[in-house]
Amino acid sequence: MSIATPPVLDLSPAIVAAAKASKAWPFEEARRIITRLEKRGPKSPVLFETGYGPSGLPHIGTFGEVARTTMVRTAFRLLTEDKIETRLLSFSDDMDGLRKVPSNVPNQEMMQAHLGMALTRVPDPFSNEYPSFGAANNARLRAFLDGFGFAYEFASATDYYASGRFDAALRRMLEVYDEVMEIILPTLGPDRRATYSPFLPISRKTGVVLQVPMVDRDVAAGTITYIDPEDGERVTTEVTGGAVKCQWKADWAMRWFALGVDYEMSGKDLIDSVKLSTRICRVLGTEPPECFTYEHFLDENGEKISKSKGNGLTIEQWLTYASPESLSLLMYTKPKTAKRLGFEVIPRHVDEYSSFIEAFPRQPLEQQLGNPAWHIHSGHPPADVAPISFAMLLNLVSVSDASDKAVLWAYISRYLPEMAVAAREKLDQLAGFAIRYYADILKAKKHYVRPEGTIAEALGALDAALAALPPASTADEIQTVVFDVGRTFFPDPAKKGPDGNPPGVSLDWFRGLYQVLLGQDQGPRFGSFVAIYGIPETRERIARALAGTLVDA
């Protein structure tokens, strides 16, 4: 079900004042909406809209549009002290015709037989659970948005057209038909120009969404006339009641006009569509919404992720290995910068999210409102964070070859014998993510380097130094020993040591540690790793590496 009530905000004078000075992008966007209201006059509710084309499965970009719009909505509510009602409408363009069969759905032959039909008239290819392909995809989107607790209302184009909610706007579109054509036709090629109409009739015989030219129009009667491409019959139909659907750019403008949309985001590829829809919206008789253009997510090959191709990470894949909050952080950060979206970005976002949560209580108010955690949690970031990083847990899984969380907890409990219940729950969840991520993503990439020459000598010295340490040595004490050994065997005169004097330590020392003992080029702060993993266990690993038995581990 949709959740209609957004969370309560702290509206104390100090936080409202800090919001008015904040440079965080959601507040900047919210100010544009306030300026719009100041120019046009009071309006309630203010309508935020997101769009979804259910011709393919929902993907991370679809979720991102709702997450980011929610962040702007929250910022607007704070800046206006929540005195203006707001709504967030998640609109599904499920009356669009199926133009091609997505490659990532089953029953391809059945889908092929329904090309051209409205998505809500194409049978569900997944099961018999839903009445149509559009309904099945809508359900997937809603279930995911509900799982995040978004405060939104869901809308179906099919329902809005059929129920008559768009009737007045459709009649208005018919009145300004010539002006709309003047806007669109110059942007089309000769072939498409010959068949274009703002209205797409739904064939009464086949259910196909037809792309045919109009041969007659009757504004007073609210009808259009076209030639049926199947049999050449002259057909007159109303533009109301779901008998037609508007062509894409006209449809977007019609929706803005009919619903009074105040704010909507869209991807970089729709810049031209925004411009044309904006012009059409004004022809219809109203100002278009404030629009925000975001950059795309790219797959590992640098191509835009697509719901029809199924390339790039899926929502489900991200949530297999990381928390929803880490995904929200991905959405918050630099929305106008293109991001390559592969499995490798997950650990960084998990740990960055934890860092923002950890820093939040220590920050002054103005910095808190610039902290992504405030926007991710609509002003209510949690107090607890996992006390061990995801990167560290991944290394623990690697060295222990753990396939069960109990193995990790044997190390964790020794390192942190006392832990708050909430922190323990978060760490337990993170441990599960780490085990799955290592097994599926990292394990096959492990490559251990056999130590030779200087690195072998340095490891022998590190073993001796660790043996001399008390068993309960802290991570900082262990790190000092690691650094001292590195300073002896891998000095870097260009760098300074912890005492402020040269030499420092070459990165070759730490890279060598990771390659020999962890099978990777990078790793955690080594002193912290040893403190959790254990000095005896680390020494045993060094011995195996020097003996050459760790290479094939």
Side-chain angles (χ1 to χ4, degrees):
M1 60 180 287
S2 300
I3 303 168
T5 306
V8 175
L9 295 178
D10 178 357
L11 298 175
S12 60
I15 195 169
V16 172
K20 290 180 178 179
S22 177
K23 301 300 182 184
W25 71 262
F27 286 112
E28 298 283 15
E29 287 300 293
R31 289 189 193 98
R32 293 206 296 125
I33 305 170
I34 292 172
T35 299
R36 169 190 177 86
L37 297 180
E38 290 171 348
K39 291 179 178 178
R40 300 187 60 195
K43 180 179 184 291
S44 183
V46 168
L47 182 60
F48 297 77
E49 184 181 61
T50 65
Y52 168 57
S55 57
L57 302 177
H59 58 68
I60 283 181
T62 310
F63 160 72
E65 200 165 297
V66 181
R68 288 167 172 163
T69 304
T70 295
M71 293 172 187
V72 176
R73 181 190 186 187
T74 302
F76 175 85
R77 291 177 56 217
L78 181 54
L79 287 173
T80 57
E81 300 179 57
D82 221 8
K83 293 177 180 178
I84 301 175
E85 182 186 353
T86 61
R87 294 173 57 211
L88 194 161
L89 191 68
S90 179
F91 195 95
S92 173
D93 193 15
D94 56 17
M95 200 171 165
D96 195 17
L98 179 67
R99 302 303 172 198
K100 62 179 180 179
V101 178
S103 60
N104 58 345
V105 299
N107 293 310
Q108 295 272 310
E109 187 174 342
M110 179 277 289
M111 294 284 283
Q112 195 72 29
H114 289 82
L115 282 176
M117 296 185 69
L119 298 170
T120 44
R121 295 192 180 190
V122 177
D124 178 5
F126 305 103
S127 66
N128 293 319
E129 184 177 359
Y130 298 100
S132 69
F133 180 48
N137 284 333
N138 287 342
R140 284 168 171 79
L141 175 69
R142 296 176 68 178
F144 185 71
L145 298 181
D146 289 346
F148 269 83
F150 285 121
Y152 75 102
E153 301 166 47
F154 178 79
S156 158
T158 300
D159 292 343
Y160 274 47
Y161 271 95
S163 67
R165 293 194 62 169
F166 284 157
D167 281 0
L170 290 165
R171 283 183 169 273
R172 177 59 182 160
M173 182 71 71
L174 186 59
E175 291 174 0
V176 297
Y177 183 96
D178 290 332
E179 294 170 81
V180 173
M181 293 289 279
E182 289 176 4
I183 292 171
I184 297 295
L185 290 183
T187 70
L188 305 175
D191 293 341
R192 187 70 189 93
R193 194 180 302 137
T195 62
Y196 182 83
S197 166
F199 298 105
L200 302 175
I202 312 299
S203 172
R204 298 169 183 169
K205 302 169 185 175
T206 65
V208 169
V209 182
L210 300 173
Q211 298 194 48
V212 292
M214 300 298 102
V215 297
D216 197 9
R217 291 171 283 123
D218 188 330
V219 174
T223 62
I224 55 175
T225 301
Y226 64 94
I227 303 301
D228 191 319
E230 289 288 322
D231 54 19
E233 179 184 352
R234 184 182 176 95
V235 180
T236 297
T237 185
E238 297 84 1
V239 297
T240 54
V244 306
K245 180 195 181 298
C246 277
Q247 187 75 253
W248 157 233
K249 298 176 183 69
D251 184 83
W252 207 6
M254 184 275 296
R255 190 194 313 165
W256 290 345
F257 170 74
L259 303 179
V261 177
D262 293 290
Y263 186 83
E264 183 156 2
M265 294 185 174
S266 57
K268 182 180 179 180
D269 59 330
L270 295 181
I271 289 177
D272 289 340
S273 295
V274 170
K275 292 177 181 177
L276 293 172
S277 296
T278 292
R279 293 176 62 190
I280 295 172
C281 191
R282 290 188 173 122
V283 165
L284 289 170
T286 192
E287 278 297 304
E290 296 300 314
C291 295
F292 177 86
T293 300
Y294 55 81
E295 264 286 4
H296 293 301
F297 292 110
L298 309 176
D299 65 13
E300 58 186 7
N301 298 317
E303 297 180 356
K304 183 174 79 76
I305 60 173
S306 164
K307 58 181 177 288
S308 60
K309 289 183 181 178
N311 59 328
L313 283 181
T314 67
I315 293 168
E316 291 77 12
Q317 285 173 321
W318 186 287
L319 297 182
T320 297
Y321 307 117
S323 67
E325 294 81 9
S326 64
L327 179 57
S328 293
L329 175 61
L330 178 75
M331 301 306 161
Y332 176 86
T333 307
K334 297 181 179 179
K336 291 193 173 184
T337 300
K339 299 181 181 70
R340 196 175 294 267
L341 194 57
F343 290 104
E344 71 280 356
V345 308
I346 293 177
R348 174 168 56 86
H349 282 82
V350 172
D351 283 338
E352 285 184 358
Y353 166 75
S354 295
S355 296
F356 286 123
I357 292 293
E358 191 175 20
F360 189 84
R362 305 191 303 269
Q363 294 176 319
L365 193 54
E366 59 272 15
Q367 289 184 17
Q368 287 185 338
L369 293 183
N371 187 323
W374 190 93
H375 299 274
I376 290 169
H377 293 281
S378 296
H380 301 284
D384 296 290
V385 66
I388 298 177
S389 72
F390 190 52
M392 184 66 76
L393 288 173
L394 287 173
N395 284 288
L396 279 179
V397 176
S398 175
V399 297
S400 63
D401 200 27
S403 59
D404 188 287
K405 288 190 288 187
V407 175
L408 295 186
W409 275 106
Y411 297 106
I412 295 169
S413 299
R414 182 179 61 189
Y415 177 64
L416 296 172
E418 296 182 4
M419 197 184 310
V421 172
R424 185 179 183 88
E425 290 176 351
K426 290 181 182 297
L427 189 55
D428 187 69
Q429 181 191 48
L430 204 59
F433 287 142
I435 288 172
R436 289 193 289 275
Y437 188 89
Y438 173 76
D440 295 348
I441 310 301
L442 296 181
K443 191 170 185 177
K445 300 178 182 179
K446 285 289 179 182
H447 175 64
Y448 290 91
V449 175
R450 183 165 184 168
E452 296 178 346
T454 304
I455 187 68
E457 294 178 35
L459 283 170
L462 178 61
D463 178 62
L466 291 175
L469 284 175
S473 295
T474 66
D476 287 341
E477 291 168 339
I478 297 170
Q479 185 69 11
T480 298
V481 166
V482 173
F483 192 89
D484 287 344
V485 172
R487 205 173 197 179
T488 299
F489 290 89
F490 291 90
D492 186 343
K495 294 182 178 179
K496 295 181 180 180
D499 56 6
N501 298 313
V505 177
S506 169
L507 290 177
D508 289 342
W509 167 230
F510 296 103
R511 188 179 299 111
L513 282 175
Y514 302 140
Q515 290 175 339
V516 170
L517 300 180
L518 301 179
Q520 58 198 40
D521 291 332
Q522 297 178 330
R525 185 172 183 265
F526 204 74
S528 300
F529 168 75
V530 175
I532 299 174
Y533 185 52
I535 291 176
E537 289 81 0
T538 303
R539 292 189 63 213
E540 179 187 359
R541 200 162 186 82
I542 291 172
R544 289 175 59 195
L546 292 172
T549 61
L550 191 59
V551 175
D552 297 323

